[in-house]
Amino acid sequence: MSDVERVDLLEKLLTFVRDGLLDGQAGDDLTSTTPLLEWGVLDSVKTARLLAFIRDEIGVRVPPKKMVGDHFKDLEHVTDLVLELQQPVG
């Protein structure tokens, strides 16, 4: 995946979190490196919504073994996880 595609994916994720999870609140403070768990941006329900967005809009299923805190540390990590899962195996 090119750098442009990575930036586009990261922007999609940022937009979804700002608009879909935070309802536009604190949107300007949210960056790609905002600590999502520490700031309370993600809880169990919002994480499920993020996973559904990744599955439905990006076409990537996150397997349970990848649903660990380090992969959801910030949106940079989420982007890296999605890119990793998009790569063909083999």
Side-chain angles (χ1 to χ4, degrees), residues 10-54:
L10 182 56
E11 189 58 39
K12 276 185 186 180
L13 292 169
L14 272 165
T15 299
F16 173 74
V17 171
R18 281 185 185 127
D19 298 342
L21 300 183
L22 297 177
D23 298 321
Q25 298 175 5
D28 293 337
D29 295 334
L30 182 73
T31 69
S32 63
T33 58
T34 298
L36 302 175
L37 300 172
E38 289 177 32
W39 280 27
V41 173
L42 291 180
D43 57 23
S44 59
V45 172
K46 289 179 181 175
T47 300
R49 289 176 57 199
L50 176 60
L51 290 168
F53 174 80
I54 291 169

Side-chain angles (χ1 to χ4, degrees), residues 43-90:
D43 57 23
S44 59
V45 172
K46 289 179 181 175
T47 300
R49 289 176 57 199
L50 176 60
L51 290 168
F53 174 80
I54 291 169
R55 181 192 65 227
D56 298 341
E57 300 297 323
I58 300 170
V60 172
R61 289 190 181 272
V62 179
K65 68 180 181 181
K66 296 287 187 176
M67 293 180 201
V68 295
D70 194 48
H71 287 139
F72 295 89
K73 178 179 176 181
D74 56 35
L75 288 173
E76 292 282 345
H77 283 79
V78 175
T79 300
D80 291 340
L81 173 64
V82 171
L83 294 175
E84 173 191 324
L85 293 171
Q86 283 182 328
Q87 298 301 314
V89 178

